Amino acid sequence: MIAKSADVPDNCYHDDVEGVLVDEATLHARIAEMAKAASDRYRGEDEDTILLCVLKGATYFIADFARAMDIPTQMEFMALSTYGQSAESSGTVEIRMDLTRDIAGRNVIILEDIIESGITLHWLVDHLKGRGPKSLEVVTLLRKPEAVERDVETTDIGFDIPSDFVVGYGLDYAERYRDLPWVGTLRPSVYS
Ligand code: IMP
Ligand code: MG
C-alpha cells in the first residue's frame, strides 16, 4: 500500500491539498508498465483493442495509457452514476452517456480511475458482457482494498491506497481538483 507524503508541489488549490499520495513520476512509470503488459496481452489480434474510459475520472488515465501502449487502440467513453453507495445498499447504477459503437466481437479494456466499493464496476462488467464483446477486462489505476464490497475481477491495479478521499489526475471532489497532475489527499476542512 502506498503512503502519503507531506511534500506538496506548488498548485493552484493552495492549502486545500494535505499531501501527495502518488506523484507524477510514480504514476507515469506504473502506467507505462501496465500499458506494456496490456499491449502484450492483445498483440496480434485482428482488430484494434477498444479502451473504454469511464468518465470523467479516467480521462487522464486513458490518455497516458493509450500513448504508452504499442499496439493500435481505439477510444470509447461511457458515463455512469452510482446511487445509494452505502454498506447496506447494493447501489443502483445508471448510464448517463452510452458508447457510440457496438462492442460485439471486440476486445475491450475498461479503464477506471478508482475502485472503492466495487459496485459501479461490478455492474458495468455484468452489463457489458451482455453486448457480446470478444473479451472484456478491467484495469484500474487505484483501488481502496479496505472498502471493496463487490467482487470485481481486475486484470491490473495501478496502486492500492488507504481509504482516504483522494483527488487529482482525473479524480474530483465536487468537480474540482481533477486537473492536478498527481494524486493527493484533501484537508478535511475542505469537506466539512
Ligand atoms: P465504487 O462503485 O464505490 O467502486 O465507486 C467508484 C467511483 O467512486 C469512482 O469511479 C469515483 O468516481 C468515485 N470515488 C471513489 N472514491 C473516490 C475518491 O477517493 N476520490 C474521488 N472519487 C472517488
Ligand atoms: Mg469514476
Side-chain angles (χ1 to χ4, degrees):
M1 178 130 8
I2 200 153
K4 184 168 70 185
S5 141
D7 265 351
V8 180
D10 268 348
N11 69 87
C12 59
Y13 297 104
H14 308 288
D15 294 335
D16 291 6
V17 181
E18 182 180 63
V20 173
L21 198 59
V22 195
D23 63 39
E24 273 190 87
T26 309
L27 274 173
H28 293 137
R30 181 74 187 110
I31 291 167
E33 241 171 48
M34 291 196 287
K36 170 76 172 65
S39 302
D40 291 344
R41 288 196 295 277
Y42 295 97
R43 201 180 308 285
E45 290 284 323
D46 291 339
E47 289 197 76
D48 297 351
T49 302
I50 292 181
L51 300 181
L52 195 170
C53 168
V54 183
L55 291 172
K56 300 170 188 171
T59 47
Y60 292 72
F61 184 34
I62 192 177
D64 286 334
F65 194 90
R67 285 180 290 181
M69 283 184 75
D70 62 1
I71 59 164
T73 60
Q74 297 179 10
M75 282 187 193
E76 282 296 319
F77 297 90
M78 206 165 176
L80 306 168
S81 278
T82 309
Y83 305 97
Q85 256 171 311
S86 64
E88 317 83 62
S89 128
S90 64
T92 306
V93 183
E94 195 179 279
I95 298 176
R96 305 286 295 271
M97 194 193 99
D98 207 341
L99 304 176
T100 56
R101 290 186 305 155
D102 192 7
I103 57 165
R106 302 294 297 269
N107 292 311
V108 179
I109 305 178
I110 300 173
L111 293 179
E112 176 63 306
D113 52 356
I114 186 165
I115 297 177
E116 189 174 37
S117 69
I119 290 167
T120 312
L121 269 187
H122 181 89
W123 182 90
L124 181 62
V125 167
D126 232 41
H127 176 82
L128 291 178
K129 275 182 183 162
R131 299 188 189 188
K134 180 176 178 187
S135 69
L136 184 65
E137 66 170 22
V138 174
V139 173
T140 184
L141 181 64
L142 307 171
R143 181 180 63 170
K144 295 179 182 172
E146 287 155 18
V148 176
E149 290 170 36
R150 297 297 298 266
D151 246 15
V152 180
E153 248 186 69
T154 42
T155 303
D156 220 344
I157 295 160
F159 304 93
D160 273 329
I161 64 167
S163 310
D164 310 329
F165 197 82
V166 294
V167 295
Y169 197 73
L171 292 138
D172 72 308
Y173 172 69
E175 294 300 329
R176 303 188 82 208
Y177 312 103
R178 294 191 197 275
D179 46 6
L180 289 169
W182 29 261
V183 176
T185 49
L186 285 178
R187 270 185 210 293
S189 57
V190 174
Y191 36 80
S192 51

